[in-house]
């Protein structure tokens, strides 16, 4: 994979996905932070279903803190790891109020100091909320980066570092969402839709699935 190919990949993805953004539903920075924390090892659809009701009663740190850990669990119990997430979110709300005036901080250091917020969540907030060219590597991006040859790596951090190094500057702000959406709807974990893929001729995946005479065929 060379830089010319990488640029073409992002150019085509940007054309195919003209408005790349998160599919999490939110109205305020606080709501986005909560939704991203809840989305760890969970689908955006399950998070949106929970927050649709949760944010009606607790859309600020003060209200969520007043709801309490047990009260919060009632809204998020169908989301994976909900016990840990409820505990972290209540502690997060307390810290936002005590150290940040109830506002979502703008720096990586401050974000990663919040309970339940790791590097990936901080990257999402910095990118989606504050427009910084960070690339949060989730399972979709990890798969796409390795499968296509765009930025192969054995660990999430290695893939993140390569994407930061190789992604053309003008695409860095949107790269996170372009790759997630491509992985979610086209370059899926099982049965990737290679015949519908706008970068199939640039992709270096050796087991591409293309339609030939109505039958699936592998191609190099």
């Amino acid at each position: 994979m060379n830089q010319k190919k990488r640029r073409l990949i992002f150019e085509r993805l940007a054309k195919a996905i003209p408005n790349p953004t998160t599919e999490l539903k939110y109205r305020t920075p606080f709501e986005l932070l909560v939704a991203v924390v809840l989305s760890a090892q969970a689908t955006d659809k399950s998070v949106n279903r929970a927050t649709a009701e949760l944010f009606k009663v607790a859309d600020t740190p003060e209200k969520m803190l007043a709801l309490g850990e047990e009260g919060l669990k009632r809204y998020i119990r169908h989301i994976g790891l909900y016990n840990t997430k409820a505990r972290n979110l209540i502690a997060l709300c307390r810290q936002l109020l005590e150290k940040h005036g109830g506002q979502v901080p703008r720096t990586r250091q401050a974000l990663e100091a919040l309970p339940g917020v790791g590097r990936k969540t901080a990257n999402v907030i910095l990118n989606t909320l504050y427009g910084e060219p960070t690339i949060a590597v989730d399972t979709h991006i990890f798969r796409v980066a390795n499968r296509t040859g765009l930025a192969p790596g054995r660990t999430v951090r290695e893939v993140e570092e390569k994407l930061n190094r190789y992604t053309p500057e003008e695409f860095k702000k949107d790269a996170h969402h372009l790759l997630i959406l491509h992985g979610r709807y086209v370059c899926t974990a099982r049965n990737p839709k290679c015949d519908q893929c706008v970068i199939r001729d640039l992709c270096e995946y050796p087991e591409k699935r293309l339609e030939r005479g109505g039958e699936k065929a592998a191609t190099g």
Side-chain angles (χ1 to χ4, degrees), residues 8-9 15 19 21 30-31 51 60 80 86 90 104 109 119 125 145 153 162 171 173 181 184 186 192 211 217:
L8 285 171
I9 284 173
K15 187 175 181 180
N19 297 300
T21 189
F30 173 71
E31 288 186 354
T51 56
T60 66
I90 292 302
V104 176
Q109 182 179 7
R119 183 177 180 85
I125 297 300
K162 285 189 176 181
F171 296 109
K173 182 177 178 295
L181 293 170
R184 184 172 290 162
V186 180
E211 294 287 354

Side-chain angles (χ1 to χ4, degrees), residues 78-98:
H78 65 275
I79 296 176
L81 306 175
Y82 75 94
N83 284 310
T84 299
K85 290 175 181 178
R87 183 167 61 251
N88 283 335
L89 282 172
I90 292 302
L92 178 150
C93 289
R94 186 175 294 112
Q95 194 162 313
L96 285 180
L97 292 168
E98 292 175 353

